Amino acid sequence: MKPCIVWQTDFGLKWGAVAAMRGVCKQVDPALECVDITHEIEQYNILAASREIMYVEPFWPKGTVFVSVVDPGVGTSRRACVAKLKDGNYLVTPDNGTLTHLFYQVGIAEIREIDETINRYPGTEDVSVFHGRDLFAYTAAKLAAGVIDYSGVGPSYPLEEIVLFRQDMIKAQVNGSSVKGIVSSVSDPFGSIALNILSRDFKAAGYKHGETVHVTLSDNGKVYFNQDVLYEKSFGFVEVGQPILFDSSTNYIELGINQGNFRDAFHVKSGKDSLFQIQKLS
């Protein structure tokens, strides 16, 4: 069985962009299966793309070809690449920071720049604004179908040249039992917000289920949440309408409301200016 192509974009589904990418894949090999992660990533939000692909990639079998297209620099000198991950999967993407979470949490074994002279969809040589279709989907399909092997993507380049976000953007700072970081995602459809602290790192800082902790949230320096919150395994450990800190399905710590929407209740945004701090009660 040929590997699936699993992809995400910020294109949305209100126009034909994703369908065009699917068509390119089917032209390479009609048997290829394309599976969506999401096409609703916030437009131009490369950090969100890095995070979302990390949430999904570990749960797919070795050899899966992932595609991530959030590409505000499309058509410029930024590299179009295919990364071979240390777990045996591949990611086809612009090298613009999208590889950051995978770089630190899975590892990248090798990276190659897409050779446009052989891995560009024929007839699109004069198009510079749709590399999702013309380079990424086409190269991913050729790789998944076995038309090319990994060396056929194009020339390799040093791992040190991969574009990465600062590590503090993806990993919270732990100082004793004090944890500081950013709100990394507000995309949960139930309104929980993801913090950039892994559950294992949170527990290593001394936090245990059943413990009440103090949580502060601020945006651009303005505090909008400053409460004691229970840390537990799941929502049912607090009353309906009460906040709770819990281990999410993505192995990050999240903050939610039992049968409520934390994001909307507190108008939470994600990003470098949306900060959290968690401390033990004295």
Side-chain angles (χ1 to χ4, degrees), residues 153-199:
V153 167
S156 63
Y157 59 96
L159 300 183
E160 293 77 15
E161 294 181 10
I162 295 173
V163 176
L164 301 171
F165 286 101
R166 298 193 323 266
Q167 195 165 4
D168 64 332
M169 293 289 291
I170 67 161
K171 187 174 183 179
Q173 302 171 37
V174 179
N175 184 8
S177 61
S178 176
V179 181
K180 296 181 179 180
I182 67 169
V183 176
S184 60
S185 175
V186 295
S187 63
D188 186 306
F190 294 99
S192 297
I193 65 169
L195 312 178
N196 68 334
I197 177 74
L198 286 163
S199 294

Side-chain angles (χ1 to χ4, degrees), residues 19-42:
M21 293 170 65
R22 290 181 184 275
V24 165
C25 293
K26 291 293 185 179
Q27 287 198 60
V28 172
D29 187 336
L32 287 176
E33 182 180 4
C34 299
V35 177
D36 298 319
I37 300 173
T38 178
H39 297 291
E40 302 300 330
I41 293 174
E42 182 183 17

Side-chain angles (χ1 to χ4, degrees), residues 72-215:
V74 63
T76 69
S77 60
R78 68 93 186 93
R79 283 167 161 148
C81 73
V82 182
K84 183 177 182 179
L85 306 179
K86 287 186 177 179
D87 63 6
N89 290 335
Y90 300 89
L91 177 58
V92 185
T93 186
D95 185 358
N96 60 3
T98 299
L99 289 162
T100 303
H101 282 77
L102 291 173
F103 180 90
Y104 287 116
Q105 295 183 37
V106 175
I108 295 175
E110 188 178 352
I111 190 160
R112 291 180 175 270
E113 184 171 7
I114 295 174
D115 183 346
E116 295 188 31
T117 66
I118 56 175
N119 291 317
R120 173 185 271 275
Y121 185 72
T124 66
E125 291 78 12
D126 292 333
V127 178
S128 298
V129 295
F130 199 178
H131 284 181
R133 176 194 65 192
D134 304 335
L135 294 183
F136 301 127
Y138 188 58
T139 302
K142 290 175 71 176
L143 185 60
V147 176
I148 58 172
D149 60 13
Y150 183 56
S151 65
V153 167
S156 63
Y157 59 96
L159 300 183
E160 293 77 15
E161 294 181 10
I162 295 173
V163 176
L164 301 171
F165 286 101
R166 298 193 323 266
Q167 195 165 4
D168 64 332
M169 293 289 291
I170 67 161
K171 187 174 183 179
Q173 302 171 37
V174 179
N175 184 8
S177 61
S178 176
V179 181
K180 296 181 179 180
I182 67 169
V183 176
S184 60
S185 175
V186 295
S187 63
D188 186 306
F190 294 99
S192 297
I193 65 169
L195 312 178
N196 68 334
I197 177 74
L198 286 163
S199 294
R200 65 170 182 262
D201 294 335
F202 194 61
K203 292 180 173 67
Y207 291 92
K208 299 178 181 178
H209 291 142
E211 182 177 7
T212 298
V213 303
H214 192 76
V215 180

